Amino acid sequence: MTMAATKPEYRSSPIASEVIDDWLLRNPQTIPPPTSRFDVGRMELFNEDRWQAVFREMRAEAPVNKVTGTIHGDYWNICTHKGVQHVEALPELFSSSFRHGGVSMIQPPENVAHNYSLPMFIAMDRPDHTVRRRTVAPAFTPTQVARLAEEVRDRTGKLLDSLPLGETFDWVETVSVDLTTSMLAILFDFPREDQKLLTFWSDWVTAIEAGQIPEVANGRAQASQEMAEY
């Protein structure tokens, strides 16, 4: 008789934002002040939900601007629809490749042994990107989408039916995150009961603060390993 393999358990806490908030409370003096009012690589702008005014000013006053001397180094801001379209249309000039810095500002601390220069699909230029895009394209044909339609409608309907009536709730947390994760779970054929792990791992591996906070960088590396093992 063969014993059934025990399903491994994966952690779902602490979430990245909790570790970041705790670290900032203990180390308020560690993060240097911004070098420019247009330094939008600052975690506090988004943690405190006050990024809107900064982007509004940039679009009005400096839709293309360079910020220097920041905690992420020097970088350019392109913050209008037309400007972003221009950049996206010229991949030979504006590279996404991990070989040229990738798609993130993250620069890992020297004391964190983790390689951020991974050849990810999103961090490739053509022809490498084209080859991988052709690999996944068949999953998004009209026939395939129609095959998934019933389950998509079922999950969406149940989520919307579960929303509270007559009270205020966080749409992003309750609907946007849950629904997006649910759709990813369908595409990945990921077990429905484990789909919250996708959100947990995603929040960790996309935590841009990993470049400045060793605890977050290590947590990010751990989440990446757990996701790969799963």
Side-chain angles (χ1 to χ4, degrees):
M1 179 183 296
T2 302
M3 296 291 291
T6 303
K7 183 177 178 180
E9 293 188 6
Y10 291 87
R11 66 189 181 111
S12 58
S13 66
I15 60 176
S17 60
E18 290 173 344
V19 174
I20 294 167
D21 289 344
D22 177 66
W23 190 90
L24 289 174
L25 282 174
R26 291 184 288 108
N27 303 273
Q29 76 292 342
T30 304
I31 300 298
T35 60
S36 164
R37 63 192 174 109
F38 295 153
D39 182 4
V40 292
R42 308 288 304 187
M43 68 184 83
E44 62 269 21
L45 279 179
F46 303 93
N47 290 350
E48 298 169 8
D49 195 30
R50 53 185 178 85
W51 54 270
Q52 298 91 336
V54 179
F55 278 89
R56 189 161 50 244
E57 290 178 17
M58 275 204 298
R59 283 192 293 268
E61 301 176 24
V64 178
N65 67 83
K66 185 177 184 180
V67 183
T68 60
T70 79
I71 55 177
H72 301 293
D74 301 346
Y75 63 87
W76 286 88
N77 288 318
I78 314 293
C79 58
T80 63
H81 183 256
K82 185 176 181 180
V84 172
Q85 278 189 316
H86 178 76
V87 170
E88 290 290 336
L90 298 171
E92 288 82 5
L93 182 60
F94 300 99
S95 174
S96 296
S97 175
F98 66 97
R99 296 184 179 91
H100 302 135
V103 294
S104 173
M105 292 180 178
I106 292 176
Q107 297 295 325
E110 294 180 358
N111 61 337
V112 176
H114 185 62
N115 179 17
Y116 286 80
S117 299
L118 298 175
M120 298 178 290
F121 183 26
I122 194 175
M124 290 182 179
D125 295 331
R126 53 192 182 198
D128 295 334
H129 184 274
T130 304
V131 172
R132 286 157 179 80
R133 184 173 181 174
R134 286 173 179 164
T135 300
V136 301
F140 299 94
T141 63
T143 301
Q144 287 292 85
V145 172
R147 183 179 65 82
L148 301 173
E150 183 176 350
E151 187 170 5
V152 169
R153 290 194 183 96
D154 177 65
R155 293 199 187 195
T156 304
K158 287 179 179 177
L159 175 60
L160 295 178
D161 288 342
S162 71
L163 297 179
L165 298 176
E167 62 182 83
T168 301
F169 63 92
D170 187 328
W171 177 271
V172 172
E173 186 67 29
T174 309
V175 179
S176 300
V177 173
D178 202 323
L179 190 58
T180 301
T181 304
S182 188
M183 297 305 105
L184 286 173
I186 293 174
L187 290 173
F188 295 159
D189 195 20
F190 200 84
R192 193 166 187 168
E193 64 272 17
D194 290 343
Q195 75 174 42
K196 289 190 180 300
L197 287 172
L198 292 175
T199 303
F200 176 74
W201 292 328
S202 176
D203 287 348
W204 266 110
V205 301
T206 58
I208 197 169
E209 291 83 358
Q212 289 73 49
I213 303 176
E215 288 94 327
V216 179
N218 289 323
R220 188 173 187 264
Q222 184 179 354
S224 297
Q225 181 176 349
E226 291 168 357
M227 183 170 59
E229 287 175 353
Y230 189 106

